[in-house]
Amino acid sequence: MPETILVVEDELSLQETLAYNLKKEGYTVETVGDGRSALESARRLKPDLIVLDIMLPEMDGFEVARILRKEMSTAILMLTARDDEIDRVVGLEVGADDYLTKPFSMRELMARVKAQLRRARLLREEMGKSRDANTPHEKLTFDNLVIDLTRREVTLNGEAIQIKPKEYELLLFLAEHRRQMLSREFILERVWGWDFIGDSRTVDVHVRWLRQKIEADSSNPTRIVTVRGGGYRFEG
Ligand code: CA
């Protein structure tokens, strides 16, 4: 069955170009031009991916992502009008999986779309496996920090902490490579699934959020340490 993509873009010519190119690749595509319709369509369609513009009538893309993130785990690729750090950070904070700055080439868009759909497929497979009731709970324990791979839950001193899907994936990736120096580019490629040099500040932002949750003192981290000129290393 072809994968379904919801395109949310109010600029009609771009909306048509996106739809045309995605359909040409074999995807089922639905298009809407405002935030409210985006919510309705996403709930009805349950797409595999949402391409979501930020500046939209009725309700902006941030708000749409924030609402949908609570209801579904669909991959969200955000379109930003300018290369704005704030937009990017807010976008990731509300749960976007990736972002693309306008103007972009269709080739670039297609690479991101494919990377996100591939990631979503892998995640579904993994989740399907972990939902099997017969699987014993697999856990990674680091002193008072426990990562429950079955429930995709993290506890600190026995209490579950609020952790976003991307933060969980990053923490798990770091933990699985304990005491290894991991470059930002490598982390980006493996956790975000980007096939080319993306923006490594994305990694820094997520590490900062994780530290606030799992470090005793996030300004003096002992679990996720920064390696000078390199990247990060998980100490446990
Ligand atoms: Ca727009």
Side-chain angles (χ1 to χ4, degrees):
M1 220 172 78
E3 282 160 308
T4 305
I5 300 175
L6 174 62
V7 173
V8 187
E9 171 60 69
D10 59 320
E11 210 178 297
L12 268 184
S13 60
L14 180 57
Q15 188 196 90
E16 281 166 12
T17 309
L18 289 168
Y20 173 79
N21 282 280
L22 290 167
K23 280 177 187 163
K24 211 170 69 182
E25 288 288 317
Y27 299 117
T28 301
V29 181
E30 188 167 310
T31 53
V32 291
D34 68 84
R36 283 192 196 287
S37 313
L39 288 182
E40 283 168 25
S41 295
R43 285 170 180 150
R44 174 174 43 78
L45 208 60
K46 302 214 173 5
D48 297 289
L49 173 72
I50 302 173
V51 177
L52 181 61
D53 186 31
I54 292 177
M55 298 297 285
L56 291 168
E58 305 271 341
M59 182 189 288
D60 71 19
F62 292 137
E63 194 55 28
V64 172
R66 200 174 282 132
I67 294 171
L68 287 181
R69 224 350 124 241
K70 293 183 188 140
E71 303 174 17
M72 56 187 83
S73 58
T74 302
I76 298 175
L77 171 58
M78 273 199 162
L79 305 181
T80 71
R82 59 219 143 100
D83 195 5
D84 190 325
E85 169 80 11
I86 300 294
D87 280 2
R88 203 157 34 213
V89 170
V90 174
L92 294 168
E93 209 162 22
V94 297
D97 296 278
D98 197 359
Y99 52 84
L100 204 51
T101 306
K102 293 179 185 176
F104 48 82
S105 68
M106 280 303 131
R107 210 180 132 175
E108 200 180 355
L109 173 93
M110 228 43 93
R112 301 284 182 110
V113 163
K114 281 181 183 153
Q116 284 308 319
L117 288 173
R118 188 168 58 233
R119 277 202 61 263
R121 263 196 308 274
L122 289 172
L123 206 64
R124 265 200 308 277
E125 283 169 24
E126 202 185 286
M127 300 263 281
K129 265 184 243 157
S130 64
R131 272 204 214 95
D132 185 346
N134 296 323
T135 316
H137 277 215
E138 227 187 304
K139 288 178 183 176
L140 295 176
T141 303
F142 307 97
D143 193 20
N144 60 347
L145 176 73
V146 180
I147 306 172
D148 185 326
L149 292 100
T150 312
R151 291 178 154 175
R152 292 175 68 83
E153 188 182 87
V154 179
T155 55
L156 189 67
N157 297 316
E159 293 207 19
I161 60 171
Q162 289 289 319
I163 192 161
K164 297 192 192 95
K166 233 13 169 225
E167 291 168 356
Y168 174 84
E169 286 172 42
L170 173 62
L171 178 62
L172 183 58
F173 182 69
L174 292 170
E176 282 171 339
H177 297 82
R178 191 181 186 188
R179 302 221 168 93
Q180 288 176 37
M181 199 283 275
L182 303 167
S183 72
R184 290 177 177 81
E185 289 70 27
F186 184 57
I187 296 172
L188 197 59
E189 188 195 313
R190 297 292 295 271
V191 178
W192 276 265
W194 296 352
D195 295 336
F196 43 91
I197 311 280
D199 190 328
S200 56
R201 280 174 302 180
T202 303
V203 178
D204 299 334
V205 171
H206 281 79
V207 165
R208 194 162 70 227
W209 291 337
L210 262 184
R211 280 174 171 161
Q212 285 162 6
K213 295 176 182 180
I214 65 166
E215 298 278 1
D217 174 5
S218 63
S219 53
N220 273 309
T222 54
R223 297 203 125 120
I224 305 173
V225 301
T226 305
V227 183
R228 270 184 81 131
Y232 296 102
R233 190 175 62 227
F234 184 71
E235 292 291 343

